Amino acid sequence: MQEKIILTGDRPTGRLHLGHYVGTLKKRVELQDDPRYKRFVFIADLQALTDNARNPQIVRENVVEVALDYLAAGLVPEKTTLFVQSQIPELAELTMYYLNLVTVERLQRNPTVKAEIKQKKEMSGEAGVPAGFLTYPVSQAADITAFDADLVPVGEDQVPVLEQTREIVRTFNGLYGEVLKEPAAMLPDRKACCRLPGVDGAAKMSKSLGNAIYLADDEAAVSQKIMQVYTDPLHIKVTDPGHLKGNVMFVYLDAFCRNEHFPAFLPDYKNLDELKDHYKRGGLGDVKVKRFLNNILQAELSPVRERRKYYEARKDEVYRILYEGSQKARAAAAAVLDRVRKAIGVNYF
Ligand code: ATP
Ligand code: MG
């Protein structure tokens, strides 16, 4: 059986947070020992420049931060090729070919791009949108198809972007022959993980919104954020009945809690359903639930922090990993580009 290719990436616009962790990072680490797959994970610095061109140092500084987060989360360079997008010029070339296969109108209709543009306008007050930002789904299509990726582990917000990749593939293959592989999104198993909300109750935990718990946060910072997490504004006295809808504390439990956490940290309850029932009835205070959540998160994050510390002291090694991964990735993309050029007919010599 031919091995399937998994590829995914992150923008170096900040450090990675719990949303990335449950949305895609954990899946990447889980699949790392599966012999059915070949894996690529990349740092999307070109994509980060589409809305940070005036602050390239933000992108530059965060390339190594994201790499540290990858290694901290448990990605191992021998098993997963880690690379930097800008170091593979083939990706820029492929983007140029694809730009002619989508309409401006279709890009403007992309719900993810639309929401992100609205958010950016509200935050910065700037009226214009860089052309590169509008077309980032096209460059994402290049990233994915240049490696013949079958599966792309992403959070829910990226599903419409991936749909655009699939459309480009179908258009390309329709015009030039069956050259490209059509990829599929791979979403997390738990619903709460598909789009983890921010600590402030916003629909998405995001680097750009300042509402995140970072993998690099120390123990005190995590506890502090958990103690302030958005819960149920109507749950004032312990005896008041509590509501679960929009209650971030419980969404985080949905994302992270496993049955074995109860005997370890909260033996009065058997499982999450029992805890939720008590909260809904009234008589269970937020602080008790938050302490439980904090214990779970600290247990999950403590080995991540240890690995981060190890690599923080060895940044040369981290850059070497990215350099070697980029060389390997470039060779893989070059082979696909040969096929693409031949199919379009831009192979003259
Ligand atoms: P930015 O605001 O710069 O776009 P981001 O936090 O959205 O940053 P990205 O680098 O755009 O992060 O996303 C990387 C991956 O993480 C994508 O697959 C995305 O779907 C996933 N992801 C990001 N935020 C969340 C979240 N809150 N819940 C689940 N998955 C998420
Ligand atoms: Mg994003």
Side-chain angles (χ1 to χ4, degrees), residues 156-206:
E156 202 176 60
D157 66 307
Q158 290 302 310
V159 170
V161 181
L162 205 82
E163 192 44 45
Q164 194 133 38
T165 296
R166 292 158 60 89
E167 281 175 32
I168 291 172
V169 168
R170 290 197 287 263
T171 306
F172 189 103
N173 287 349
L175 286 167
Y176 308 120
E178 288 295 314
V179 174
L180 303 173
K181 216 187 250 178
E182 197 171 318
M186 190 179 213
L187 288 168
D189 310 320
R190 296 186 186 199
K191 191 168 178 317
C193 300
C194 290
R195 189 185 298 254
L196 200 74
V199 288
D200 57 353
K204 179 174 173 278
M205 183 180 282
S206 161

Side-chain angles (χ1 to χ4, degrees), residues 38-320:
K38 191 168 165 185
R39 292 153 290 257
F40 294 93
V41 170
F42 71 100
I43 303 176
D45 59 338
L46 289 181
Q47 194 184 117
L49 282 171
T50 62
D51 51 342
N52 284 289
R54 280 163 186 77
N55 305 299
Q57 76 287 356
I58 293 184
V59 176
R60 188 180 168 87
E61 283 159 17
N62 280 306
V63 165
V64 69
E65 292 299 329
V66 171
L68 285 168
D69 285 329
Y70 285 166
L71 297 162
L75 289 176
V76 175
E78 290 75 27
K79 299 177 183 175
T80 301
T81 303
L82 303 174
F83 70 93
V84 183
Q85 185 186 31
S86 60
Q87 304 308 298
I88 323 294
E90 283 78 3
L91 299 177
E93 181 184 343
L94 196 52
T95 304
M96 284 301 285
Y97 299 132
Y98 290 173
L99 277 169
N100 304 317
L101 306 180
V102 276
T103 63
V104 174
E105 291 74 16
R106 173 66 181 90
L107 286 167
Q108 284 167 337
R109 272 202 313 272
N110 184 311
T112 308
V113 177
K114 239 168 136 173
E116 287 174 345
I117 286 176
K118 187 163 166 272
Q119 182 192 315
K120 272 179 217 314
K121 279 188 184 160
E122 281 164 6
M123 283 172 68
S124 70
E126 279 173 36
V129 178
F133 189 80
L134 182 68
T135 58
Y136 93 70
V138 182
S139 107
Q140 207 159 305
D143 301 334
I144 295 167
T145 54
F147 296 92
D148 279 331
D150 297 277
L151 293 167
V152 188
V154 283
E156 202 176 60
D157 66 307
Q158 290 302 310
V159 170
V161 181
L162 205 82
E163 192 44 45
Q164 194 133 38
T165 296
R166 292 158 60 89
E167 281 175 32
I168 291 172
V169 168
R170 290 197 287 263
T171 306
F172 189 103
N173 287 349
L175 286 167
Y176 308 120
E178 288 295 314
V179 174
L180 303 173
K181 216 187 250 178
E182 197 171 318
M186 190 179 213
L187 288 168
D189 310 320
R190 296 186 186 199
K191 191 168 178 317
C193 300
C194 290
R195 189 185 298 254
L196 200 74
V199 288
D200 57 353
K204 179 174 173 278
M205 183 180 282
S206 161
K207 301 186 215 102
S208 313
L209 293 175
N211 60 6
I213 295 177
Y214 293 95
L215 297 182
D217 278 348
D218 63 18
E219 195 175 331
V222 173
S223 318
Q224 200 194 1
K225 288 179 187 178
I226 290 299
M227 288 307 154
Q228 287 164 2
V229 89
Y230 184 85
T231 62
D232 170 14
L234 301 173
H235 188 240
I236 298 161
K237 292 200 296 288
V238 172
T239 47
D240 289 339
H243 300 87
L244 300 181
K245 198 169 178 325
N247 190 324
V248 175
M249 173 172 79
F250 276 99
V251 181
Y252 289 178
L253 283 175
D254 282 335
F256 285 95
C257 184
R258 296 188 300 272
N259 281 348
E260 67 257 31
H261 288 134
F262 285 92
F265 303 127
L266 198 60
D268 299 352
Y269 302 85
K270 268 206 284 305
N271 55 41
L272 194 51
D273 287 338
E274 262 191 16
L275 190 74
K276 284 180 177 171
D277 284 343
H278 194 183
Y279 191 77
K280 283 193 283 191
R281 275 200 314 274
L284 174 59
D286 278 5
V287 173
K288 190 167 176 178
V289 184
K290 283 178 178 172
R291 284 210 186 106
F292 177 51
L293 174 62
N294 185 50
N295 281 330
I296 294 174
L297 289 181
Q298 301 291 1
E300 183 91 26
L301 290 176
S302 126
V304 175
R305 271 185 216 124
E306 288 307 307
R307 281 191 293 265
R308 200 176 210 280
K309 247 188 241 138
Y310 174 91
Y311 283 106
E312 266 170 358
R314 292 166 181 80
K315 282 204 182 147
D316 287 353
E317 192 181 332
V318 177
Y319 279 110
R320 186 186 50 78

